[in-house]
């Protein structure tokens, strides 16, 4: 388990991480999402032991990462921009990873390169962005570390390759001890593959929850209530995150169980009503609006 306790990181006057406390369970796919500049990349680098926090600590199975070579060896970090040696080929990077990661599976790496139709003798500097990303992902998977930290893993990959990478992650989890942590702006990708999701905003973490449980606890409600007093009463009784009214149609995003919301709604005798599940993108927008990141305030 990765445990983060009050992790704080500054870059001069900029607070990149502000008291982040969360944990990442083993053998799950953890998605890390957040607003621009929220600190996702910084947090991954702190978890990997690349950056040292000013306050707090990150530990793996209660072993502090920054102070332990053993803990760091259990983590492989894939940055958002692929980093290779100048003039290196995939074969050169394979040999380097074999030195850094004792468990690196060179035979499997060569096999995957062949299946992905990537030439191991061709200079990586001549590869496209998506091809470089593929090589990075394959190196990370074949490192055979317990944790793989991926910063914008799907950026630059075409739809077929994105699905292939998802399948690789799923296969690894089934066959060995493996926990990918994926930071991404592609919320649809996160929603498709992740078991747990953490939401960062302005260096702090708003929540880290099981994705399915989170969806069960937040709903979009659309209704037409003829009595204005009943409408106001409903709004006061529910935990409203977001509200919009167009004509007689009231649309709100609320926290709570489906049955609880349905019961309170029917007590107001609506002319029309429906309760809808939210996508991860809608949850993201609602939660960040509560935290003060409202698109209406930014644009209008």
């Amino acid at each position: 388990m990765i445990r983060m306790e009050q992790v704080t990181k500054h870059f001069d006057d900029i607070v990149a991480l502000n008291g982040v406390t969360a944990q990442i369970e083993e053998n799950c796919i953890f998605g890390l999402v957040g607003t621009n500049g929220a600190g996702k990349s910084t947090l991954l680098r702190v978890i990997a032991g690349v950056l040292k926090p000013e306050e707090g600590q990150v530990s793996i199975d209660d072993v502090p990462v920054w102070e332990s070579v053993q803990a760091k060896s259990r983590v492989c970090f894939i940055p958002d921009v692929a980093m290779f040696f100048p003039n290196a080929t995939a074969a050169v990077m394979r040999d380097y990873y074999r030195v850094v990661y004792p468990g690196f599976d060179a035979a499997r790496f060569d096999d995957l390169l062949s299946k992905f139709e990537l030439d191991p003798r061709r200079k990586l500097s001549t590869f496209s962005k998506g091809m470089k990303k593929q090589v990075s992902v394959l190196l990370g998977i074949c490192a055979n570390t317990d944790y793989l930290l991926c910063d914008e893993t799907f950026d630059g990959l075409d739809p077929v390759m994105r699905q292939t990478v998802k399948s690789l992650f799923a296969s690894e989890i089934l066959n060995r001890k493996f926990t990918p942590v994926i930071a991404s702006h592609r919320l649809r990708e996160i929603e498709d593959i992740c078991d747990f999701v953490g939401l960062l905003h302005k260096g702090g973490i708003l929540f880290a929850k099981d994705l399915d449980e989170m969806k069960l606890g937040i709903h979009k409600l659309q209704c037409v209530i003829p009595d204005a007093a009943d409408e106001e009463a409903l709004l006061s009784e529910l935990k409203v995150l977001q509200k919009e009214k167009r004509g007689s149609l009231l649309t709100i995003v609320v926290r709570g169980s489906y049955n609880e919301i349905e019961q309170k709604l029917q007590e107001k005798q609506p002319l029309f009503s429906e309760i809808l599940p939210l996508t991860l993108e809608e949850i993201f927008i609602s939660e960040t609006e509560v935290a003060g990141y409202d698109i209406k305030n930014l644009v209008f």
Side-chain angles (χ1 to χ4, degrees):
M1 176 193 296
I2 296 176
R3 189 185 302 276
M4 295 156 270
E5 298 176 342
Q6 294 297 318
V7 175
T8 300
K9 179 65 183 175
H10 300 85
F11 295 103
D12 296 326
D13 296 331
I14 300 172
V15 181
L17 298 173
N18 186 15
V20 173
T21 296
Q23 63 185 35
I24 300 173
E25 303 288 343
E26 293 181 348
N27 279 56
C28 72
I29 302 180
F30 189 94
L32 191 60
V33 300
T35 51
N36 292 329
K40 299 186 296 298
S41 297
T42 300
L43 182 57
L44 290 184
R45 285 170 167 80
V46 170
I47 293 173
V50 176
L51 296 175
K52 182 180 181 181
E54 281 81 29
E55 299 176 21
Q57 72 173 14
V58 175
S59 59
I60 297 179
D61 293 340
D62 298 324
V63 178
V65 172
W66 181 256
E67 300 171 359
S68 171
V69 173
Q70 180 183 6
K72 291 180 182 179
S73 70
R74 299 178 61 189
V75 178
C76 182
F77 173 56
I78 303 175
D80 55 342
V81 178
M83 302 293 290
F84 303 118
F85 297 132
N87 298 319
T89 64
V92 168
M93 295 307 301
R94 173 200 62 204
D95 294 340
Y96 171 70
Y97 269 64
R98 289 177 69 179
V99 174
V100 177
Y101 299 99
F104 186 83
D105 191 337
R108 188 179 182 211
F109 179 72
D110 290 340
D111 180 58
L112 287 171
L113 281 181
S114 176
K115 290 178 178 177
F116 278 59
E117 298 183 350
L118 298 169
D119 187 349
R121 297 162 298 180
R122 179 178 163 187
K123 290 184 179 180
L124 294 171
S125 59
T126 67
F127 280 18
S128 68
K129 178 180 180 181
M131 294 167 69
K132 291 177 181 177
K133 182 68 74 172
Q134 291 172 42
V135 174
S136 293
V137 170
L138 297 184
L139 286 168
I141 287 176
C142 293
N144 279 328
T145 54
D146 295 336
Y147 298 92
L148 181 61
L149 311 181
C150 309
D151 197 356
E152 298 295 345
T153 306
F154 303 104
D155 189 24
L157 298 180
D158 62 54
V160 173
M161 198 52 60
R162 289 202 297 270
Q163 190 59 46
T164 301
V165 171
K166 292 177 189 177
S167 298
L168 274 174
F169 284 168
S171 176
E172 290 297 299
I173 289 176
L174 288 174
N175 292 301
R176 68 179 179 93
K177 185 178 179 181
F178 180 64
T179 305
V181 181
I182 304 171
S184 178
H185 287 100
R186 295 179 178 269
L187 299 185
R188 180 58 183 166
E189 308 289 356
I190 293 292
E191 188 171 14
D192 283 346
I193 192 175
C194 291
D195 306 300
F196 292 83
V197 173
L199 174 58
L200 280 173
H201 178 61
K202 293 184 177 179
I205 194 157
L206 298 184
F207 62 73
K209 299 179 181 177
D210 179 282
L211 183 55
D212 290 334
E213 289 182 7
M214 181 172 60
K215 287 184 176 181
L216 291 174
I218 186 169
H219 305 272
K220 178 189 288 185
L221 169 61
Q222 293 183 320
C223 60
V224 176
I225 300 176
D227 190 298
D230 284 341
E231 181 180 292
E232 287 300 318
L234 178 67
L235 292 172
S236 65
E237 293 170 7
L238 296 176
K239 298 176 182 178
V240 179
L241 301 181
Q242 197 176 30
K243 180 182 74 171
E244 181 181 11
K245 188 169 184 181
R246 294 186 178 182
S248 59
L249 180 65
L250 174 67
T251 301
I252 54 177
V253 176
V254 297
R255 281 201 183 100
S257 70
Y258 181 96
N259 291 337
E260 176 190 7
I261 297 168
E262 175 70 11
Q263 179 182 349
K264 293 183 181 297
L265 174 61
Q266 294 306 319
E267 289 173 356
K268 306 303 183 286
Q269 299 181 337
L271 296 177
F272 161 80
S273 68
E274 61 178 351
I275 301 175
L276 305 170
L278 269 70
T279 65
L280 180 57
E281 182 172 344
E282 290 173 318
I283 294 173
F284 176 93
I285 292 172
S286 299
E287 294 285 357
T288 51
E289 280 191 10
V290 172
Y293 193 69
D294 190 345
I295 184 63
K296 294 189 290 294
N297 294 333
L298 295 175
V299 178
F300 301 107

